[in-house]
Amino acid sequence: MILILFGPPAAGKGTQAARLKAKHGIGHLSTGDMLRAAIAQGTEVGKRAKAIMDKGDLVPDEVVVGIIGDRIKQDDCKKGFVLDGFPRTVNQATALDALLRERNLGVDVVIVIEVDEAALVKRVETRANEARVKGEPVRPDDDPETFKKRLGVYKAETAPVLPYYEAQGKIKRVDGMKPIDNVTAQIEGVLKGTKPRKSWFG
Ligand code: AMP
């Protein structure tokens, strides 16, 4: 099963992807997490990405497509994987299709987590406050102004990916305003109704 969790920043994609990984034994591929790890390790990719991410802009397509291309070859992706935060542009979506086609694979379903904008802004404020209380660093891009920028980038560059998958009949929507467990149940319901094109590599 290859699925994409799609939605604006702070919609809950990371939380739900972690649950899918645990329940189905598939890989969880978050380009945001991989880029933050690259920054922490001080790699070339990390150095290139840091300033861009701190501003709330998108890292160039070729960087994230390269990361995903390497990552899907790893063992934990053999049963399939959930993409969280990728693709974020139409170019990334077409590059992903090309990468998968080479392996005779394809995206099975794109699950859109719908949350209204006011709720997203509130969630990010809460996330930042919780981190402060725990004495953990606050993500620089969770600062309110930068977060608004990320929402703008989502609308301008990422939302246009939806018609691309709509044309392939792959979009399913879930109500992301509901409690976390309810969203998980909605996602599981979608998966039950989805026949994977192909579950395993090889
Ligand atoms: P996230 O953790 O998914 O919210 O991503 C944090 C930041 O990482 C984004 O605001 C972008 O700067 C960068 N990023 C993550 N995934 C991508 C992607 N697929 N394309 C471009 N930039 C990305």
Side-chain angles (χ1 to χ4, degrees):
M1 172 71 73
I2 297 174
L3 67 132
I4 296 173
L5 283 187
F6 198 90
K13 301 185 296 291
T15 304
Q16 297 298 335
R19 289 181 169 202
L20 287 165
K21 171 186 165 150
K23 181 168 164 86
H24 299 283
I26 57 178
H28 170 190
L29 278 52
S30 156
T31 37
D33 285 350
M34 290 186 255
L35 290 166
R36 280 183 288 274
I39 292 174
Q41 286 157 18
T43 67
E44 279 311 309
V45 165
K47 283 182 198 143
R48 210 173 147 194
K50 179 158 175 30
I52 300 173
M53 288 171 72
D54 285 354
K55 276 194 298 179
D57 283 325
L58 293 184
V59 171
D61 289 337
E62 73 271 14
V63 174
V64 283
V65 169
I67 292 178
I68 288 289
D70 289 339
R71 187 64 184 80
I72 63 177
K73 293 180 197 149
Q74 292 178 15
D75 278 354
D76 64 334
C77 293
K78 285 211 171 103
K79 269 183 76 178
F81 47 87
V82 48
L83 292 162
D84 155 16
F86 180 93
R88 257 176 157 102
T89 64
V90 174
N91 262 336
Q92 292 177 23
T94 53
L96 173 65
D97 271 350
L99 272 175
L100 295 175
R101 214 174 302 119
E102 277 170 22
R103 296 170 171 77
N104 197 24
L105 293 165
V107 171
D108 293 302
V109 64
V110 179
I111 301 179
V112 183
I113 305 183
E114 296 184 309
V115 182
D116 67 46
E117 201 169 316
L120 294 172
V121 174
K122 206 152 185 276
R123 273 187 196 180
V124 171
E125 281 167 10
T126 309
R127 185 153 91 184
N129 284 337
E130 282 172 359
R132 273 188 214 100
V133 169
K134 284 192 234 156
E136 289 170 1
V138 177
R139 267 173 65 167
D141 57 353
D142 273 353
D143 141 89
E145 281 315 304
T146 314
F147 185 72
K148 282 185 196 132
K149 167 88 178 284
R150 287 163 67 202
L151 280 177
V153 169
Y154 174 78
K155 285 186 210 160
E157 302 197 45
T158 305
V161 176
L162 285 173
Y164 176 82
Y165 288 116
E166 202 101 56
Q168 299 182 11
K170 290 185 176 159
I171 300 273
K172 299 281 180 209
R173 296 174 192 275
V174 298
D175 180 359
M177 299 292 285
K178 294 269 174 1
I180 293 175
D181 286 348
N182 180 289
V183 178
T184 304
Q186 292 178 63
I187 291 172
E188 290 301 327
V190 168
L191 295 184
K192 278 206 186 81
T194 306
K195 196 172 168 291
R197 220 175 88 128
K198 195 171 174 207
S199 299
W200 280 270
F201 282 174

